[in-house]
Amino acid sequence: QVQLQQWGAGLLKPSETLSLTCGDYTGSFTGYYWSWIRQPPGKGLEWIGEINYSGSTNYNPSLKSRVTISVDTSKNQFSLKLTSMTAADTAVYYCAKSSGSGGLYNWFDPWGQGDLVTVSS
Amino acid sequence: DIVMTQSPDSLAVSLGERATINCKSSQSVYFSSNDKTYLAWYQQKAGQPPKLLFYWASTRASGIPDRFSVSGSGTDFTLTISSLQAEDVAVYYCQQYYSTHYTFGQGTRLEIK
C-alpha cells in the first residue's frame, strides 16, 4: 500500500524554484521527522533536509541557502522548495520518513516513489 | 562531513555464491554513551526507491531475508549476502546518522556473474 505519495513539477528552467509535496499515509506523522533526498541520474544519494510536526528543520549545509522545507499538519503533508535551480539540480527527488526515535539522528524508511525533476532551458 | 566510502564500486557474483560489500566511515559512527552504532544499509533496485535493510548497524528491517547479514564496528562495516539470489541484483548503500548531516556511501552495484 502507498505510504508516502509525492507530487510536483517535473520540468523547470534554470533559475526557477522547485516545489514538491509529500503526503504521509503511514499514520505516524506527528511523531517523526520527514526528509527529502535526491539522486542525480545514475549517481548516489544526497540528503537535502528534514522537518518535524512542529516545524523544526535540519538542512544539509551545502544546500541550506536555497532550501525551505515546510509542513502542513492539517493534511499530514510536507513540502520542499529549492530556489535558483540549475542543471546540476536535475535528479530524482524522494521524500522519506526519518525513522529514528522521533528526533534527529535518523535513517529513512519508507520512501516515496520519487519524482524526476529536470532543469533545462 | 562524515565521508562514507564503499568498496568495491561494483561486483559480479554467481547465483548461490556469497557477496560482500564494504563500507568505511571517515570517523567512528559508534556512540559509547548509548552503545549504539549510527549506520544503516539500503538496497535500491532499478527504477525503485531505496529500501531499508538494516539500521543501528545490525538491526534487520522488517521482511529482510536472513541471507542478508552485517558485521563491523567503529569505522568499518560489511554487508554480506550469503547465497545470492537473482532478486538481489541492486545497488547497495550505507548511510551514517552519527552526524545530523546525514551522508551516504557512493553505492555498490551488485550483478550476477
Side-chain angles (χ1 to χ4, degrees):
Chain A
Q1 74 280 21
V2 173
Q3 295 185 293
L4 294 177
Q5 183 75 46
Q6 57 182 105
W7 62 92
L11 180 61
L12 297 172
K13 291 182 167 52
S15 80
E16 290 186 335
T17 295
L18 169 68
S19 182
L20 296 173
T21 298
C22 183
D24 166 50
Y25 300 93
T26 68
S28 59
F29 193 72
T30 59
Y32 292 91
Y33 274 77
W34 300 86
S35 276
W36 289 98
I37 298 159
R38 69 180 183 178
Q39 184 172 38
K43 296 187 177 180
L45 300 160
E46 179 180 35
W47 172 76
I48 299 170
E50 63 188 348
I51 192 167
N52 73 357
Y53 181 83
S54 301
S56 295
T57 54
N58 175 32
Y59 293 139
N60 185 328
S62 67
L63 295 168
K64 188 173 184 177
S65 64
R66 298 196 292 134
V67 172
T68 301
I69 299 177
S70 58
V71 65
D72 183 340
T73 56
S74 68
K75 297 179 180 178
N76 285 2
Q77 294 174 358
F78 60 108
S79 298
L80 168 69
K81 290 192 186 302
L82 182 62
T83 62
S84 305
M85 295 283 282
T86 71
D89 296 310
T90 293
V92 175
Y93 286 75
Y94 295 100
C95 61
K97 178 181 172 183
S98 297
S99 288
S101 56
L104 298 176
Y105 307 98
N106 293 302
W107 60 92
F108 308 108
D109 178 57
W111 297 56
Q113 80 277 12
D115 281 321
L116 175 61
V117 176
T118 302
V119 182
S120 175
S121 56
Chain B
D1 289 5
I2 298 178
V3 177
M4 308 300 289
T5 303
Q6 293 182 226
S7 62
D9 289 333
S10 64
L11 77 161
V13 174
S14 301
L15 289 172
E17 296 299 306
R18 179 185 303 262
T20 301
I21 297 168
N22 301 301
C23 173
K24 185 176 183 66
S25 57
S26 60
Q27 67 181 75
S28 176
V29 294
Y30 172 72
F31 194 40
S32 57
S33 314
N34 59 5
D35 191 26
K36 287 187 178 293
T37 301
Y38 288 60
L39 184 85
W41 288 94
Y42 301 86
Q43 174 194 64
Q44 186 178 30
K45 297 182 179 180
Q48 296 183 19
K51 176 183 178 181
L52 179 70
L53 296 176
F54 293 91
Y55 56 99
W56 294 129
S58 61
T59 301
R60 185 178 282 106
S62 176
I64 303 305
D66 60 8
R67 65 178 181 275
F68 289 87
S69 64
V70 290
S71 62
S73 62
T75 61
D76 292 277
F77 303 92
T78 299
L79 173 69
T80 300
I81 307 171
S82 61
S83 177
L84 189 70
Q85 306 298 303
E87 61 264 33
D88 300 333
V89 169
V91 179
Y92 292 82
Y93 294 93
C94 58
Q95 176 233 332
Q96 66 79 23
Y97 49 102
Y98 183 91
S99 161
T100 56
H101 174 190
Y102 313 121
T103 50
F104 295 86
Q106 81 277 16
T108 295
R109 184 175 301 277
L110 177 58
E111 299 173 332
I112 304 294
K113 184 187 292 182

